[in-house]
Amino acid sequence: MGRPNVLLVVLDCVRAANTSLLGHRRKTTPFLEEFAREATVYTQARTTASWSLPAHTSLFTGVPSEGHKLQITERLEPGQTIFDFLDGEGYETGVFTENPYLTVHPSGLSDSFESVVTERPDSTDVDDPSETRNGVDGFWYADRLTEWIDEQSESWVACLNLMDAHMPYATRDAYDEWGADFYWAMHDELPIKWEWSVYGEQLPAGIGQLLEPLYDGAIRQTDAILEQIIGDLEARGVLDETLVVITSDHGDGFGEPPQAATEPPAVMHGMGTQEELFHVPLVVRGPGQTEGRRIESLATLSRFPDAVLAAFDGEADDTGWFVAPDGQTTAYQSPPTGQTAEYAEEYTDEPDRFRQAASLVYLDGPGDTVYKRAAWGEDEYEAVVRGRRSEPSDDTPIDRAPSDVIADSAAHSETLEITQLAAGEDEMAEYDIDGFDDIDLQSRLERLGYL
């Protein structure tokens, strides 16, 4: 076998708790369960941050979030990712997504790829526009990936980020198994950044429960897209020559309650320390791997570059490439800057509550158990995670404060070159979240007894 190809598939916003692969009651990931028969499933994988930019930066570089602290107003200078390394080794590189942080935003992440496919054509470019709610979806990007692979004469490395499970949803009818007209009516009336309608107390956090069935259908769609991609690789005879890593950059919240005293409920992502935001699925198939295995040890996405290098050096079978060194890993969220900090000031009475750092420390436990200490700002708590369930605990064996562990990790992390964006350079399409008082949710919820 020659040099392996590398395919990283990021299921944007997909949290571990809602995958049937890891025990969710709805059959959201039937293909992943089948694929797992010849792949490695990590049941306790953690991302390093709860939104795309810092999470992908750690995924691409191997540096934990507290080590780089990349903000929306900053740029990662070129040449520092695993994709840059492979490019230097003669690999063809490509990224396929509508996620702006990987493509149009001047974060520097797109500089890692020779090919950047992010066009979002009109719905007329879809074979059957009636199949989708909002035009082009992840199937279109999967097709572009396959076409790109067919053009390659050398080894290749690609990142496919699927936004189908990111609000707003664009789920095809074939996969919208648990939705209802009322749920979709709620979805269509909510602002895209609906978390601020909850943080500003215009809407109750519990409204998220009405969106979760739609989210599950969107995950089911991402699973179908995965089935198409893996089938295409197999049909072309390149699956056994490819390292396949399927994961998520972060999870999503639907109103789960806070655990630290002052943190907000988990609504969408980017705020809070809840497991729904940090516990993610992770399935890895090494080149030629045929034996499925399930690893319950604590794992971290920051080891993606290590996994790639292991495959590059000829290791064909994943024997624990993502397991956290010394059984411990961290996650960190810098206090928000830019538009998010402005929203806190504009839409809430306690803006400082929403401008805190999230510091998380995880320690591997027996079996499928993980110990956790976390802090939202200065408010700390302890928890034990068994499988997908997190419970409060006051006897975790993590004996150092999260802030101390995070500071120590940052001090010993590899230094990345990061620069401040020029004035106005960080401008990108922003969502208008005005008009909370105008949405017709109050009366709908009152009629159904939610208010």
Side-chain angles (χ1 to χ4, degrees):
M1 181 183 298
R3 301 190 308 176
N5 306 309
V6 180
L7 175 60
L8 169 64
V9 184
V10 179
L11 311 178
D12 207 293
C13 287
V14 174
R15 65 192 197 185
N18 285 63
T19 62
S20 54
L21 172 75
L22 297 177
H24 187 46
R25 67 186 184 282
R26 297 182 178 126
K27 199 72 169 176
T28 54
T29 53
F31 171 73
L32 264 184
E33 292 165 50
E34 179 182 345
F35 186 63
R37 296 175 183 173
E38 54 184 35
T40 303
V41 177
Y42 291 85
T43 65
Q44 291 291 354
R46 295 301 188 281
T47 186
T48 61
S50 64
W51 68 289
S52 280
L53 181 57
H56 278 91
T57 301
S58 291
L59 188 62
F60 289 3
T61 66
V63 177
S65 292
E66 64 271 16
H68 61 74
K69 297 183 179 179
L70 186 66
Q71 296 273 26
I72 195 172
T73 52
E74 297 173 327
R75 173 190 290 110
L76 179 71
E77 290 300 304
Q80 303 181 86
T81 73
I82 186 63
F83 300 100
D84 293 304
F85 167 78
L86 292 178
D87 176 72
E89 294 293 323
Y91 275 69
E92 299 294 332
T93 61
V95 60
F96 305 80
T97 184
E98 65 189 81
N99 187 321
Y101 296 112
L102 303 183
T103 54
V104 299
H105 186 275
S107 64
L109 294 183
S110 64
D111 294 340
S112 300
F113 303 95
E114 182 178 358
S115 298
V116 178
V117 178
T118 187
E119 295 181 19
R120 190 169 174 80
D122 296 333
S123 60
T124 53
D125 291 338
V126 185
D127 291 339
D128 183 0
S130 65
E131 290 182 331
T132 68
R133 293 181 180 273
N134 294 319
V136 171
D137 54 23
F139 285 102
W140 186 87
Y141 286 96
D143 288 341
R144 302 294 80 75
L145 169 65
T146 301
E147 292 170 359
W148 179 81
I149 290 172
D150 287 340
E151 297 171 354
Q152 306 313 313
S153 58
E154 303 292 337
S155 299
W156 51 264
V157 53
C159 173
L160 173 66
N161 174 290
L162 297 172
M163 298 284 284
D164 298 66
H166 190 295
M167 178 88 175
Y169 307 126
T171 309
R172 299 188 180 197
D173 291 341
Y175 310 109
D176 182 27
E177 298 186 28
W178 305 284
D181 289 344
F182 173 71
Y183 299 154
W184 280 111
M186 293 293 100
H187 169 277
D188 294 342
E189 291 214 26
L190 281 171
I192 291 178
K193 295 184 74 65
W194 66 276
E195 69 268 38
W196 291 101
S197 61
V198 174
Y199 298 155
E201 299 183 353
Q202 286 89 355
L203 293 173
I207 194 174
Q209 298 173 12
L210 303 178
L211 295 177
E212 193 172 350
L214 307 183
Y215 175 70
D216 284 345
I219 295 175
R220 176 66 186 89
Q221 178 160 304
T222 65
D223 187 75
I225 298 169
L226 286 173
E227 184 174 14
Q228 174 183 310
I229 295 165
I230 298 302
D232 287 345
L233 292 180
E234 192 166 25
R236 286 158 175 76
V238 297
L239 179 60
D240 284 341
E241 302 169 3
T242 304
L243 167 65
V244 178
V245 177
I246 301 168
T247 188
S248 174
D249 53 345
H250 53 76
D252 228 18
F254 295 95
E256 288 80 9
Q259 292 187 275
T262 58
E263 75 177 336
V267 183
M268 295 190 71
H269 48 271
M271 289 273 183
T273 64
Q274 294 91 335
E275 284 301 280
E276 289 81 5
L277 307 180
F278 291 90
H279 188 186
V280 295
L282 176 59
V283 180
V284 182
R285 187 184 189 271
Q289 182 175 346
T290 58
E291 178 185 352
R293 59 171 55 89
R294 199 173 179 93
I295 294 180
E296 296 181 337
S297 301
L298 178 64
T300 173
L301 298 193
S302 64
R303 294 208 65 191
F304 172 68
D306 295 325
V308 172
L309 292 176
F312 183 81
D313 289 340
E315 294 184 36
D317 206 349
D318 177 10
T319 56
W321 291 334
F322 285 82
V323 170
D326 301 320
Q328 181 173 293
T329 191
T330 58
Y332 178 77
Q333 191 71 55
S334 298
T337 59
Q339 189 188 56
T340 301
E342 294 172 3
Y343 284 166
E345 187 75 39
E346 184 175 358
Y347 294 106
T348 73
D349 294 331
E350 300 177 281
D352 287 346
R353 181 187 177 196
F354 303 93
R355 295 189 296 216
Q356 301 295 323
S359 304
L360 299 88
V361 181
Y362 294 99
L363 181 67
D364 197 22
D368 201 19
T369 298
V370 170
Y371 301 107
K372 172 183 177 182
R373 284 192 70 176
W376 178 252
E378 297 181 356
D379 292 327
E380 296 185 9
Y381 68 91
E382 300 178 359
V384 58
V385 184
R386 294 184 175 90
R388 296 176 297 128
R389 184 180 298 277
S390 178
E391 301 173 350
S393 172
D394 57 3
D395 60 353
T396 175
I398 302 174
D399 57 6
R400 297 177 65 201
S403 57
D404 292 340
V405 178
I406 291 293
D408 185 61
S409 174
H412 291 87
S413 294
E414 179 183 352
T415 301
L416 297 178
E417 186 178 355
I418 293 173
T419 58
Q420 192 75 19
L421 297 179
E425 193 179 11
D426 60 339
E427 290 182 0
M428 56 184 294
E430 299 286 9
Y431 300 122
D432 181 9
I433 65 170
D434 293 331
F436 292 149
D437 294 337
D438 297 331
I439 54 180
D440 187 28
L441 288 175
Q442 298 287 335
S443 59
R444 291 176 183 268
L445 291 170
E446 287 172 358
R447 287 198 303 272
L448 290 172
Y450 282 92
L451 290 177

